[in-house]
């Protein structure tokens, strides 16, 4: 039986500021609905991803900024870094490791993202 991860809650302090940041980073703003004074649900999806994130009010008890390593796979670490920099996102230099090439960024609350370009040997193993 399949289990497909579809949504990850990301705790933020200011929903509008976080939404603007993620849209500027290239995420699609899929849904923004205020259910009540206590609940607002905003769904954003990274480009090419089958999994989205949810930010909002009343969605989680996690402390804003507490997500330390949300990880996504990218085709080209240099290209994604250049794209994010062009969008005004502060991104680390490319970090070359034997298990991949990484760039990282954090949202305004400090939720940390790591973007990994898989090594060639990993891509060949999937064939």
């Amino acid at each position: 039986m399949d289990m497909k991860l579809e949504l990850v809650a990301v705790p933020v302090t200011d929903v509008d500021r976080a939404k603007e940041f993620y849209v500027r980073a290239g995420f699609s703003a899929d849904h923004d609905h205020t259910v009540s004074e206590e609940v607002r649900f905003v769904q954003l999806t990274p480009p090419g991803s089958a999994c989205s994130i949810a930010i909002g009010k009343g969605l989680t008890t996690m402390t804003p900024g507490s997500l330390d390593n949300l990880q996504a796979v990218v085709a080209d670490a240099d290209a994604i870094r250049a794209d994010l920099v062009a969008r005004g996102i502060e991104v680390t230099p490319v970090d070359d490791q034997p298990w991949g090439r990484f760039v990282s960024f954090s949202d305004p609350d400090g939720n940390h993202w790591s973007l990994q370009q898989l090594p060639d040997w990993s891509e060949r193993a999937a064939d």
Side-chain angles (χ1 to χ4, degrees):
M1 179 185 308
D2 289 346
M3 286 189 183
K4 297 179 182 180
L5 183 64
E6 292 190 8
L7 189 69
V8 174
V10 175
V12 300
T13 54
D14 183 322
V15 179
D16 291 319
R17 177 183 70 172
K19 180 180 177 183
E20 183 278 327
F21 173 85
Y22 282 108
V23 168
R24 187 165 34 98
F27 288 49
S28 173
D30 304 321
H31 186 71
D32 186 340
H33 187 72
T34 300
V35 178
S36 67
E37 287 186 28
E38 295 81 31
V39 178
R40 178 176 173 195
F41 177 82
V42 179
Q43 180 175 317
L44 302 137
T45 305
S49 180
C51 184
S52 301
I53 63 169
I55 60 172
K57 180 179 173 185
L59 303 182
T60 182
T61 59
M62 289 186 290
T63 303
S66 63
L67 289 179
D68 187 22
N69 191 18
L70 292 165
Q71 190 162 323
V73 173
V74 297
D76 183 328
D78 296 300
I80 194 69
R81 183 182 189 287
D83 180 65
L84 289 169
V85 167
R87 294 170 180 272
I89 305 298
E90 189 174 318
V91 185
T92 65
V94 174
D95 178 17
D96 288 299
Q97 297 294 329
W99 52 89
R101 304 179 76 234
F102 297 84
V103 294
S104 300
F105 68 91
S106 294
D107 72 13
D109 286 292
N111 294 301
H112 182 79
W113 288 80
S114 181
L115 307 177
Q116 178 187 20
Q117 176 186 337
L118 295 171
D120 291 339
W121 59 260
S122 177
E123 292 170 6
R124 286 191 307 272
D127 291 337

